[in-house]
Amino acid sequence: MPKDGGIGASTKRREDVRFLTGKGRYTDDINIHGQTYVYFLRSDVAHGRINKIDTADAEAMPGVVKVFTGKDFEGVGGIPCGWQVTDRFGEVMQEPAHPVLAQGKVRHVGDPMAAVVAESPEQARDAAEAIEYDIEELPAVVDMKEALQDGAPKVHDDLTSNLCYDWGFVEENRDAVDEAIKNAAHVTTLELRNNRLVANPMEPRVAVGDYHAGTGDYTLYTTSQNPHMIRLLMGAFVLGIPENKLRVVAPDVGGGFGTKIFHYAEEAFCTFASKQVNRPVKWTSSRSEAFISDAHGRDHVSKIELALDSDNNFVALRTDTYANMGAYLSTFAPSVPTWLHGTLMAGNYKTPLVYVNVKAVFTNTVPVDAYRGAGRPEASYQLERVVDKAARELGVDPVALRRQNFITEFPYATPVAVEYDTGDYNATMDKLLEIADVSGFESRVAESKARGKLRGLGLNCYIEACGIAPSNLVGQLGARAGLYESATVRVNATGSITVMTGSHSHGQGHETAFPQVVADMIGIDATQIEIVHGDTANTPMGMGTYGSRSLAVGGSAMVKATQKIINKAKKIAAHLLEASEGDIELKDGAFSVAGTDKSVAWGDVTLAAYVPHNYPLEEIEPGLEETAFYDPSNFTYPSGAYCCEVEVDPETGKVEVLAFAAADDFGNVINPMIVEGQVHGGIAQGIGQAMLENCAYDSDGQLLSGSYMDYAMPRAADMPMFKVDHSCQTPCTHNPLGVKGCGEAGAIGSPPAVVNAVVDAVQRAGHHDVTHIDMPLTPSRVWSAING
C-alpha cells in the first residue's frame, strides 16, 4: 500500500485543512471589481394576478443601476425541466413555463417578480421596498387532493388541470396485483405522509454573473453541485449563450443535499443582467429567502397495501402516492416520485407483483425536487412501515418476517424493472442485531419502565439505487441529459498528477478519496495527486455529484483514464528498459521487466514522456495525459439494516433517541473514515425528518415554518452516539472499483427505524390501536396518539 494510504486507508481529509482554518473559497468570497448587487422583490401572496409593477420611485433611489421586471425577460427562455415523464396512458406530462421573473401571475410565496441592481446590497433592498405593485390575490391551493378536485384554483391557467401526470408502473402488472390483493390471506394497509423538508445546507445559495464586453464571454460563479449541467441548461435553453462563450464555476460549496443540483432563476438573472448593466452582478441569499426560494424535498401522501399468503409470504404490493411538484417543475422533479421511487418499491424482498401509481400535482407552494435520497427514502419509508405493521397484525417477529421474504439469490430481477447484481441482506441483518445488542433489549425495557418511561425498538431494511444509468436507458425514461461521468488524468513531467473530474465535491471528500484510487493503481504517494473540479473551463464535460454517484461513476471514469496512462507509460518503459511491452510490470511506483532485476522509476518514465530522447516518436506521442468517459451499465445497489432505540415520556409525548445502529453493504470501501462520516450525516438528517423537521403551509399558501424559529433543525443534543458497520461487503459487479455509493444511505434507512421504534414503545404500553404516527414525531403528536 502507498505510504500515504491507498484504497482501504482511513486517510484524513486533506480539504479540511483549508476549511477548518478559514481558507476555503466559497462563492460569496468572490468579489469582482465594479461589482453590483441584486435584491429580488418576491411575492408575499401564494397566488395572484399582477396588475401593475411601478418601478419609477425605485429607479430614482440612490445607487440604483437598473430595475428589472418580467417584461425584461419576454423573449428569454424560461427555467427548463430536465426530465419528461410519460403517464400511464402514454401522454407526456403537463409542463408549464417557468419565467425567470414572474410574468402575469405569481404562483407561490417567494416567486420573484422584480429585481433591483444597485451599488450595494442595502441600496438594492431599499429600492425594492420602493417598488409599487398591485396584485389581485387569487384563491390558492396547497393540499394535493384538493388541487385535483373539480373547480379547484388552477396554478397555471394554460394547463388543463393541476395534474402534472398520472404515472403507473408496471402498468401491465396492475390487474394481476389487484387480483392478488383481492384473494390474499392477509392484507395490511397503511396511509402515511412523507413530510415536506427544507434542505438547509450550511452555505446559502449565491450567484455572481460577469460579462466581458471585449470578448463576449460570460462567467457565472455559483453554489452548484453540477456546473456543467448549469452551463448546458442556462446557456442553451434560457439565455441562448453558446457553451464556448459561457463558463460556470462552482468553487468550494458548503453542502448541497440535492437542493444545489438544480438550475435556478437567480443564476440566469445574474448572468443575463451582467450584460445588461455591463458590470458584474452578485446575489447572496439570506436564510429566510432560502426557505421560499430553494427547492424543497419529499412531500408525498401515500396509501400502501401489502398482501401475504397463509404462510406469510409477500404476494403483492400496491401503492398510490400523491407527489407535490409545487408551483413549477424543478430540474429533476418529475423523476423523483417515479423512476427514483417506483423502481425501488420491491425493496429487499422477493414480492412477485408490485404496482406503483403516482399522481404529481401542482400547488401554490415552492417547487419540490430531490433531497438527500431523492425518491428512495420515500419508497423505503412506505415499505418498511407497512412490513412492520404487517408483522404486528400477524403477531410475528418483524425480523423473522423480513428474513422469510428476503431476496437471497443474485442477480435478481425485480417486478419493477431493475436488476440487483449483488447483496446479502441476512448478513447485514445479522451484523445489525449484533452491534445493536438486540438480545439485551428486554432488560433495558424494564429499566425504562422503572423510571416511568416507555422504551421501544425499531428495525428495518433498505435498498437504494445509486449512479443512475445507463444514459440510453434513462433517455428512454425521459432524461434530457446523459448520466455518464468523465475524468482527465494529466501526469506532469516529474511524476505528480492532476486529475480533472466532472464530479463535484461539496462535502464528500473527493480531494482525499479520489487520489487514493489513483495512488493505489500506480503505487505512488497520494499526496502527489491533485483533484481539480467545479470549473467548466478546465474540467471535461460531466454530470456532477448527486445520487451517490461520484465514486461509482466518476471514480470509474478516473480508473479508465488512469489505466490509459499506465498502458502508455508501459510502452515508454519498455523502450527505456529495452524489453517487450508485454513483460513490463508496474508495482510500487516502478516499472520492471518480469523475472529480472531491471527497473525504472515512475518519475523517470514520466520525464521521458515529456523529454522523448529514448523512444521512437513515430510509435509513441510525447506527453502523458488521457481522458475517459464512463457510462454505467446499471445502477449500483447499496443495502443495509438499521435499528433505533427510543424512550417515550407518556406524560408529555417527548421522544428521546437513545441508540442508533446501522449495518450497511456499500461494496468495496475506499476510505472507511469518510464513509462513516457520510453515514453519520445521513442518519442525523433522517432523525431530523422523523423527529423535528416539517415545512408547513396554511390554507392560503403562507409558509408557517419560514425560519429557524419555526422550522426545527436537529442539534447534537438530539442525537445519540451512532454504531455503524460496513464490513458486510458484496462488491458491485459492473464497475471497476466494485463500489456502490454511501452518501444517502443514512437518510434512507433512518426515518422508518425511528417511527417503528416509537410505535413499538407505544404498543408495548398497551396502546395496540396506535399503528402509525406521521412524521415528525413531535411531543404533541405522540401524546395525542397515546391518549386517543
Side-chain angles (χ1 to χ4, degrees):
M1 180 179 291
K3 63 181 180 181
D4 195 45
I7 291 175
S10 287
T11 306
K12 290 183 179 179
R13 292 183 9 145
R14 63 171 71 171
E15 50 268 67
D16 286 350
V17 174
R18 70 175 186 275
F19 295 149
L20 294 174
T21 58
K23 304 300 182 184
R25 187 171 186 260
Y26 298 89
T27 308
D28 195 50
D29 294 323
I30 295 171
N31 294 291
I32 305 170
H33 179 70
Q35 176 177 286
T36 60
Y37 300 83
V38 61
Y39 183 90
F40 291 96
L41 177 66
R42 300 182 182 275
S43 174
D44 56 3
V45 300
H47 194 199
R49 184 169 290 108
I50 301 173
N51 294 325
K52 181 188 73 170
I53 298 180
D54 187 345
T55 63
D57 289 347
E59 289 167 350
M61 295 280 285
V64 171
V65 177
K66 186 173 175 62
V67 181
F68 294 82
T69 66
K71 290 183 178 180
D72 294 290
F73 286 85
E74 292 176 355
V76 175
I79 306 302
C81 178
W83 201 297
Q84 183 183 71
V85 165
T86 300
D87 72 12
R88 64 191 184 91
F89 306 106
E91 300 294 326
V92 298
M93 66 188 189
Q94 295 201 91
E95 188 172 356
H98 184 180
V100 175
L101 294 178
Q103 298 174 357
K105 282 179 69 175
V106 290
R107 296 179 173 87
H108 68 86
V109 171
D111 207 355
M113 55 187 184
V116 178
V117 176
E119 300 290 349
S120 73
E122 295 78 14
Q123 289 173 326
R125 183 183 64 243
D126 290 345
E129 292 175 355
I131 294 175
E132 294 185 8
Y133 58 90
D134 176 23
I135 294 179
E136 176 190 350
E137 188 169 0
L138 302 172
V141 61
V142 174
D143 181 271
M144 288 181 281
K145 293 182 180 180
E146 291 180 6
L148 296 183
Q149 293 177 359
D150 291 340
K154 286 170 64 176
V155 179
H156 296 273
D157 296 336
D158 54 331
L159 302 187
T160 59
S161 70
N162 291 321
L163 180 67
C164 179
Y165 56 75
D166 181 354
W167 184 79
F169 192 73
V170 174
E171 195 63 28
E172 291 77 11
N173 290 351
R174 187 184 185 109
D175 291 342
V177 170
D178 291 348
E179 189 68 17
I181 290 175
K182 178 181 177 182
N183 296 320
H186 182 86
V187 178
T188 294
T189 302
L190 181 62
E191 296 187 24
L192 44 75
R193 174 181 290 274
N194 206 295
N195 41 321
R196 181 185 278 238
L197 304 174
V198 180
N200 285 313
M202 186 177 294
E203 175 201 28
R205 288 191 298 117
V206 184
V208 184
D210 185 20
Y211 174 72
H212 193 289
T215 63
D217 292 338
Y218 296 81
T219 301
L220 171 67
Y221 301 92
T222 183
T223 47
S224 175
Q225 298 178 217
N226 53 351
H228 283 280
M229 182 62 68
I230 301 304
R231 183 178 69 159
L232 175 63
L233 293 176
M234 186 179 73
F237 298 104
V238 184
L239 302 180
I241 303 171
E243 285 181 273
N244 64 305
K245 306 301 288 183
L246 175 59
R247 175 189 178 200
V248 177
V249 182
D252 288 330
V253 173
F257 311 125
T259 199
K260 292 177 182 174
I261 299 171
F262 324 120
H263 177 37
Y264 286 96
E266 294 87 357
E267 294 169 321
F269 176 88
C270 289
T271 307
F272 175 84
S274 68
K275 181 178 181 180
Q276 300 300 306
V277 303
N278 198 25
R279 292 172 62 183
V281 177
K282 182 175 185 176
W283 170 73
T284 300
S285 174
S286 68
R287 185 62 67 181
S288 296
E289 194 173 16
F291 272 88
I292 57 174
S293 62
D294 290 3
H296 293 170
R298 312 288 192 252
D299 205 354
H300 287 188
V301 174
S302 300
K303 176 182 178 182
I304 183 169
E305 297 164 283
L306 175 64
L308 302 91
D309 66 16
S310 57
D311 294 321
N312 295 341
N313 297 308
F314 300 168
V315 296
L317 183 80
R318 180 171 61 203
T319 176
D320 294 283
T321 291
Y322 291 85
N324 204 331
M325 295 288 101
Y328 303 102
L329 290 178
S330 182
T331 306
F332 288 129
S335 69
V336 173
T338 52
W339 301 112
L340 299 182
H341 163 256
T343 54
L344 270 297
M345 283 309 307
N348 306 66
Y349 309 110
K350 53 190 177 185
T351 313
L353 291 168
V354 178
Y355 179 73
V356 181
N357 178 245
V358 177
K359 294 178 176 65
V361 185
F362 292 112
T363 63
N364 292 115
T365 62
V366 171
V368 179
D369 209 320
Y371 171 73
R372 198 170 191 169
R376 288 95 82 199
E378 295 90 322
S380 290
Y381 182 63
Q382 288 184 61
L383 185 57
E384 291 303 312
R385 282 294 299 120
V386 79
V387 170
D388 221 61
K389 184 169 186 269
R392 296 182 186 283
E393 290 176 351
L394 294 166
V396 299
D397 177 25
V399 174
L401 182 62
R402 288 176 167 87
R403 287 191 190 274
Q404 176 180 337
N405 289 281
F406 275 163
I407 298 163
T408 56
E409 296 182 2
F410 297 87
Y412 179 83
T414 76
V416 277
V418 294
E419 183 175 280
Y420 305 158
D421 59 334
T422 60
D424 189 340
Y425 309 145
N426 277 302
T428 51
M429 180 61 77
D430 290 342
K431 177 57 69 172
L432 177 74
L433 298 179
E434 173 193 332
I435 65 175
D437 186 23
V438 173
S439 61
F441 175 67
E442 291 301 332
S443 64
R444 298 192 292 274
V445 171
E447 189 273 331
S448 293
K449 185 176 181 181
R451 294 184 289 105
K453 301 294 178 66
L454 314 179
R455 200 176 190 107
L457 184 142
L459 300 100
N460 64 272
C461 305
Y462 80 89
I463 188 166
E464 64 161 324
C466 300
I468 180 171
S471 293
N472 62 347
L473 173 61
V474 296
Q476 296 172 34
L477 302 181
R480 289 166 168 166
L483 289 169
Y484 53 84
E485 200 44 83
S486 61
T488 295
V489 177
R490 176 182 297 159
V491 182
N492 301 309
T494 55
S496 62
I497 297 174
T498 302
V499 178
M500 292 152 280
T501 174
S503 299
H504 184 275
S505 182
H506 42 278
Q508 290 81 4
H510 293 175
E511 293 174 39
T512 302
F514 282 2
Q516 289 181 250
V517 174
V518 178
D520 204 76
M521 293 180 69
I522 297 172
I524 61 175
D525 197 304
T527 59
Q528 291 185 256
I529 301 163
E530 178 188 14
I531 304 298
V532 174
H533 63 91
D535 187 342
T536 62
N538 59 20
T539 57
M541 175 73 174
M543 294 295 107
T545 294
Y546 44 86
S548 303
R549 72 190 301 269
S550 294
L551 197 59
V553 188
S556 295
M558 193 169 53
V559 168
K560 288 182 65 177
T562 303
Q563 191 58 57
K564 289 182 181 181
I565 291 288
I566 292 171
N567 293 344
K568 182 175 179 180
K570 282 184 175 181
K571 294 179 186 290
I572 299 172
H575 282 282
L576 296 178
L577 295 169
E578 300 179 331
S580 169
E581 181 187 336
D583 293 332
I584 300 298
E585 298 176 342
L586 173 61
K587 184 178 180 181
D588 295 334
F591 296 91
S592 61
V593 181
T596 76
D597 60 358
K598 295 174 63 178
S599 67
V600 60
W602 167 257
D604 292 332
V605 173
T606 62
L607 183 62
Y610 290 94
V611 186
H613 293 167
N614 298 305
Y615 60 86
L617 292 176
E618 65 272 15
E619 295 181 19
I620 308 173
E621 295 178 350
L624 206 50
E625 180 174 324
E626 299 287 350
T627 296
F629 288 79
Y630 177 76
D631 199 335
S633 60
N634 191 4
F635 294 95
T636 64
Y637 297 99
S639 60
Y642 283 19
C643 178
C644 179
E645 205 165 310
V646 301
E647 200 170 65
V648 179
D649 184 339
E651 298 298 320
T652 65
K654 187 178 186 301
V655 177
E656 181 181 358
V657 178
L658 299 176
F660 202 101
D664 296 289
D665 175 4
F666 296 135
N668 293 334
V669 172
I670 305 302
N671 187 310
M673 181 188 67
I674 289 177
V675 167
E676 187 170 332
Q678 287 288 314
V679 175
H680 282 196
I683 292 173
Q685 284 186 275
I687 292 175
Q689 175 177 12
M691 298 290 297
L692 298 161
E693 299 182 52
N694 190 43
C695 183
Y697 285 89
D698 70 10
S699 59
D700 294 322
Q702 292 294 329
L703 184 61
L704 300 177
S705 51
S707 75
Y708 290 148
M709 295 295 291
D710 304 296
Y711 187 94
M713 292 285 286
R715 301 183 181 188
D718 298 311
M719 304 294 157
M721 293 298 292
F722 303 138
K723 294 181 180 179
V724 301
D725 179 273
H726 44 258
S727 64
C728 303
Q729 298 177 4
T730 60
C732 175
T733 60
H734 55 78
N735 69 55
L737 290 168
V739 297
K740 292 185 176 183
C742 68
E744 296 164 300
I748 295 169
S750 50
V754 176
V755 178
N756 287 348
V758 173
V759 171
D760 180 63
V762 173
Q763 289 203 356
R764 282 173 178 271
H767 304 284
H768 299 290
D769 56 324
V770 179
T771 58
H772 179 68
I773 307 172
D774 270 330
M775 301 185 292
L777 302 174
T778 59
S780 62
R781 287 185 177 182
V782 176
W783 185 90
S784 296
I786 292 172
N787 290 278

